[in-house]
Amino acid sequence: MAKCAVCGKGAHFGNNVSHSHRRSNRMWKSNIKSVKCKVNGAAKKMYVCTSCLRSGKVERA
């Protein structure tokens, strides 16, 4: 699973808990997009989470 190149956000793990309180594994995937970004004046493809895109931490190419 991809991680954000800016903040390092990735998947989180936990449990599904049923009504009878039985537990099974589950995963929360972060919203990560493949984006062309400007890095040192050149365009580079990176994996970036949408919260970093919205906050302006990345300049798109």
Side-chain angles (χ1 to χ4, degrees), residues 3 5 8-9 11-16 20-21 25-26 28 30 33 35-36 38-39 43-44 48-49 59-61:
K3 281 191 174 181
K9 188 188 285 187
H12 291 81
F13 299 92
N15 291 312
N16 277 325
S20 63
H21 216 66
N25 296 331
R26 69 158 294 176
W28 287 270
S30 51
K33 305 292 180 191
V35 176
K36 280 187 181 177
K38 281 187 183 175
V39 178
K44 184 181 176 186
V48 181
C49 68
E59 188 181 347
R60 294 184 89 148

Side-chain angles (χ1 to χ4, degrees), residues 15-33:
N15 291 312
N16 277 325
V17 182
S18 70
H19 180 69
S20 63
H21 216 66
R22 289 175 65 95
R23 294 181 178 101
S24 60
N25 296 331
R26 69 158 294 176
M27 191 160 105
W28 287 270
K29 292 181 181 175
S30 51
N31 195 0
I32 293 180
K33 305 292 180 191

